[in-house]
Amino acid sequence: MKASPIRLVATDLDGTLLRSDGTVSERTVALLGALEESGTVVVFVTARPVRWVRELRAIVHGHGVVICANGAVVYDAHADRVMESRTLPGSIARAIVASVRARAPGARFAREALSGFGKEPDYPERHPTPAGSLVGPIEPLLADDTVKLLIRAEASAAEELESAGAEIVGDRAEATTSDGSGVVEVSGRGVTKAATLARFCAARGITAADVLAVGDMRNDLPMLGWAGTAAAVANAHPDVLAAVDRVAPSNDEDGVAMLLGELLEAGPRR
């Protein structure tokens, strides 16, 4: 049997590796462990901040390195430590807030930072606000340890803001969306899932041709375009499905597990 050319697997979490209820099957966990034992590097690549990734350490049994916040932070799940971070300067974040307010006066803001979460009082959160979070006007909260600026518009303006996010931000930073909820996520200039993954791989002598990347949303597109082999789960965004080499079953059908099983069956490249 021909050996697999894949040396590293990079997979998104929500909507891809994780089922819709946020769980991972025992089969998937076992395959992740077996893949690492075979010498294949496993990297999770997600829009989640570190605080939401820590919740998953038990689910994935500590397997893998995690590229968090759309590429802003690299987190070691084995050691529970931040390996590196690339932040959004506070001055630039505040200038972007001013630009967004001029375009969408009803927009509300929050921020993920190395020091924790902060938000405006009327920022609509889909999840409970973490204990100890800072709540107040967004501008004073935007220090230089910000890893992601979150922008949510009123329902009537959400679609326009989502489509205009990159235009508003310009070359000052990177704007994307990750879950179809209407939230625009802004990271530092040049910070993307793809850029951080490429840097991580280069430091280990791994080329794009050695990488299998799996995703489901448009913020995964740069990573999928960079990887030598790109796959999506069947529930992925239409733009993602149109951009990949192959489509696996949905996240609720353990599509990523199928891909991992194929790699193990093929065996590592010698």
Side-chain angles (χ1 to χ4, degrees), residues 6 18-19 29 44 50 52 59 81-83 89 127 143 148 168 173 221 226 231 235:
I6 301 301
L18 303 183
R19 293 169 170 172
V29 172
F44 303 125
V50 170
W52 281 359
I59 294 177
R81 68 180 180 90
V82 171
M83 299 169 64
H127 307 281
K148 192 163 62 168
I168 295 171
L221 285 170
W226 175 80
N235 54 287

Side-chain angles (χ1 to χ4, degrees), residues 216-228:
D216 74 310
M217 289 297 290
R218 285 183 290 182
N219 65 324
D220 295 317
L221 285 170
M223 174 180 74
L224 295 169
W226 175 80

Side-chain angles (χ1 to χ4, degrees), residues 126-251:
R126 293 186 301 158
H127 307 281
T129 301
S133 296
L134 299 176
V135 179
I138 195 63
E139 287 83 357
L141 302 182
L142 295 173
D144 287 340
D145 71 338
T146 298
V147 296
K148 192 163 62 168
L149 172 67
L150 306 174
I151 309 167
R152 189 186 289 274
E154 297 173 334
S156 60
E159 185 174 347
E160 178 186 355
L161 180 61
E162 186 173 336
S163 62
E167 174 193 339
I168 295 171
V169 167
D171 63 0
R172 297 175 291 185
E174 306 295 333
T176 189
T177 58
S178 64
D179 62 3
S181 67
V183 175
V184 176
E185 305 178 8
V186 180
S187 304
R189 184 176 182 179
V191 174
T192 66
K193 288 184 174 185
T196 302
L197 179 61
R199 190 170 60 253
F200 179 89
C201 290
R204 290 154 181 81
I206 298 172
T207 68
D210 301 324
V211 176
L212 164 65
V214 194
D216 74 310
M217 289 297 290
R218 285 183 290 182
N219 65 324
D220 295 317
L221 285 170
M223 174 180 74
L224 295 169
W226 175 80
T229 304
V233 282
N235 54 287
H237 189 283
D239 292 350
V240 175
L241 292 173
V244 297
D245 304 305
R246 62 176 303 188
V247 177
S250 73
N251 63 322

Side-chain angles (χ1 to χ4, degrees), residues 89-91 93-99 101 107 109-111 119-120 136-144 146 149:
S91 59
R94 290 188 289 273
I96 290 171
V97 167
S99 297
R101 290 198 196 283
F109 301 86
R111 65 98 163 105
K119 73 183 189 76
E120 294 185 317
I138 195 63
E139 287 83 357
L141 302 182
L142 295 173
D144 287 340
T146 298
L149 172 67

Side-chain angles (χ1 to χ4, degrees), residues 43-66:
V43 179
F44 303 125
V45 190
T46 179
R48 287 184 177 225
V50 170
R51 65 185 176 91
W52 281 359
V53 171
R54 286 194 173 103
E55 300 172 2
L56 300 177
R57 291 184 72 237
I59 294 177
V60 299
H61 290 201
H63 294 304
V65 166
V66 190

